[in-house]
Amino acid sequence: MATINNNYLKLKAGYLFPEIARRVNAFAAAHPDAKIIRLGIGDVTEPLPSACRDAMIQAIADMGNRDTFKGYGPEQGYAWLREKIAAHDFQARGCDVDASEIFISDGSKCDCGNILDIFGDDNAIAVTDPVYPVYVDTNVMAGHTGDTNERGEYGGLVYLPITADNNFTAEIPSQKVDLIYLCFPNNPTGATATKEHLKAWVDYARAHGSIIFFDTAYEAFITDPNLPHSIYEIEGARDCAIEFRSFSKNAGFTGTRCAFTVVPKKLTAKAADGSDVELWNLWNRRQSTKFNGVSYIVQRGAEAVYSEAGQVQVKELIGFYMENARIIREKLTAAGIAVYGGVNAPYVWVKTPNGLSSWDFFDKLLSSCNVVGTPGSGFGAAGEGYFRISAFNSRENVEEAMQRIADKFTV
Ligand code: PLP
């Protein structure tokens, strides 16, 4: 008799987005004339930059010609893309990252989950609370946790609260943890990390032999020139960090799919016999075995992000969303609502007024303004009392939603 991976049974049913859909559908059925505006989604709305589209059209033409046709590519990605990433995203910022340390993939979501393949089952794992749920659920699937408690926290994980009280930056844990997930700019809080904060984590990780998983999917939204874009801007990070990046949010590749992970050569973790093993070798082996690369066409599209035209167009895209974020921040503040984030990130993290729970605020906003956001409690227990509003939307929708809040929302 075949058996299942029982760890899947520990997963809390994907509660957040189905519950949002259930409440929105019920409201829409009762108020068929309401024009509901959804500001809850983490997906981009604007079209792909023309530089990327043109490059992909050319790549399709290449595929139609015997001389330029491509079959299987390198599992790690084409050298021309890896070299552009290394030069532009890392070396230009003073980071010591070589093209060979960059692994192209079809998404940061899968890389964040797949990376667990090369780590042991006995690591102590730390996540922030609230958190991008993929970090938690992939550890549950891998059998690294117990069941949930009444707060929805999985046994065996170390939760590091990030709230207004600590400026949404986790305190360095007092106990030893082996794997640490950090996400800056942060989803869902929109918070960023200074170099000093990251340095404290790097020092901790080096002192304890821990590995930091640094997810910087929203790096392109950083506008403050003093903030680090990569953990490799911090001295010593090559000895303790793996970085995940994506073309999803900077160039609108959420549906096109391209991302990359940096695994420094010489970064090691312990084998059962106590020896140090290079993680680059394991990740290379894992990818070569379980992954056959991203399509040539998509990699050409991603390469175009680094062209002169691509750079201009990506900046325009980011600027568009960040103007949405500015409007959201300003209008909510004017309505007497406290907001965080949204300055170096596409997410505005709202403190629910009058002590409303995240779901009560959701219901109030839906019924009074027909505006949908994401309850903070869905990202973890410490997200209770907060609410995420996304800047990924049309200008028209953002302006109308904010006008409705200004006109109709009473605290
Ligand atoms: N990391 C974070 C923090 C995200 O919010 C997301 C998507 O919303 C991802 C990774 C996924 O990126 P990708 O589209 O490359 O899989």
Side-chain angles (χ1 to χ4, degrees), residues 42 107-109 132 135 183 187 215 217-218 246 248-249 257 259:
S108 269
K109 188 186 202 176
Y132 176 50
Y135 311 151
C183 174
N187 178 14
D215 182 345
Y218 299 95
S246 174
S248 282
K249 306 297 162 86
R257 312 303 304 146

Side-chain angles (χ1 to χ4, degrees), residues 366-406:
L366 177 60
S367 58
S368 60
C369 306
N370 308 158
V371 171
V372 179
T374 314
S377 53
F379 297 99
E384 179 55 271
Y386 292 92
F387 194 78
R388 192 188 77 175
I389 294 192
S390 157
F392 294 125
N393 219 307
S394 67
R395 181 63 40 78
E396 193 191 354
N397 275 350
V398 166
E399 281 177 342
E400 188 177 335
M402 291 306 121
Q403 196 55 50
R404 287 188 200 165
I405 292 173

Side-chain angles (χ1 to χ4, degrees), residues 2-265:
T3 62
I4 60 153
N5 176 351
N6 274 284
N7 297 311
Y8 278 62
L9 303 181
K10 290 185 210 155
L11 288 167
K12 282 183 291 167
Y15 168 74
L16 178 62
F17 289 100
E19 178 60 15
I20 290 174
R22 192 190 66 73
R23 294 191 191 206
V24 172
N25 291 341
F27 182 82
H31 304 86
D33 295 332
K35 182 178 175 266
I36 295 171
I37 300 180
R38 289 175 168 78
L39 296 181
I41 322 270
D43 197 359
V44 296
T45 53
E46 302 309 299
L48 281 183
S50 62
C52 302
R53 281 183 279 129
D54 291 346
M56 286 193 274
I57 290 166
Q58 177 56 50
I60 290 171
D62 294 347
M63 296 298 265
N65 183 327
R66 173 176 280 278
D67 296 334
T68 49
F69 168 78
K70 299 279 185 293
Y72 290 123
E75 292 96 345
Q76 302 80 358
Y78 285 102
W80 34 261
L81 177 55
R82 300 167 87 194
E83 278 157 15
K84 294 231 168 49
I85 292 169
H88 182 278
D89 287 338
F90 297 103
Q91 290 155 11
R93 297 194 65 82
C95 304
D96 176 17
V97 171
D98 187 72
S100 63
E101 298 173 317
I102 292 165
F103 292 82
I104 310 295
S105 78
D106 59 355
S108 269
K109 188 186 202 176
C110 17
D111 284 356
C112 287
N114 292 336
I115 198 75
L116 293 176
D117 271 14
I118 66 168
F119 286 92
D121 293 329
D122 47 359
N123 289 304
I125 295 160
V127 293
T128 62
D129 176 10
V131 67
Y132 176 50
V134 171
Y135 311 151
V136 172
D137 287 358
T138 51
N139 274 291
V140 177
M141 291 171 174
H144 296 166
T145 72
D147 290 318
T148 44
N149 63 16
E150 67 290 344
R151 282 167 59 85
E153 296 166 340
Y154 286 96
L157 291 185
V158 175
Y159 287 89
L160 308 171
I162 47 171
T163 62
D165 294 339
N166 57 17
N167 205 17
F168 303 100
T169 44
E171 265 141 51
I172 308 292
S174 43
Q175 74 265 55
K176 181 178 173 316
V177 289
D178 305 303
L179 302 178
I180 303 149
Y181 290 84
L182 295 180
C183 174
F184 290 112
N186 188 257
N187 178 14
T189 66
T192 49
T194 59
K195 283 190 177 152
E196 292 68 37
H197 181 68
L198 290 189
K199 178 80 173 83
W201 275 114
V202 166
D203 290 348
Y204 172 92
R206 292 178 76 196
H208 293 90
S210 328
I211 299 286
I212 297 170
F213 295 148
F214 193 67
D215 182 345
T216 182
Y218 299 95
E219 158 278 327
F221 295 86
I222 294 175
T223 47
D224 181 341
N226 297 316
L227 292 174
H229 288 237
S230 164
I231 196 155
Y232 303 115
E233 290 178 49
I234 312 303
E235 202 192 325
R238 283 185 59 86
D239 301 333
C240 63
I242 289 174
E243 183 162 305
F244 302 98
R245 289 230 192 165
S246 174
F247 292 98
S248 282
K249 306 297 162 86
N250 63 345
F253 273 50
T254 52
T256 307
R257 312 303 304 146
C258 198
F260 58 93
T261 289
V262 182
V263 185
K265 298 231 173 106

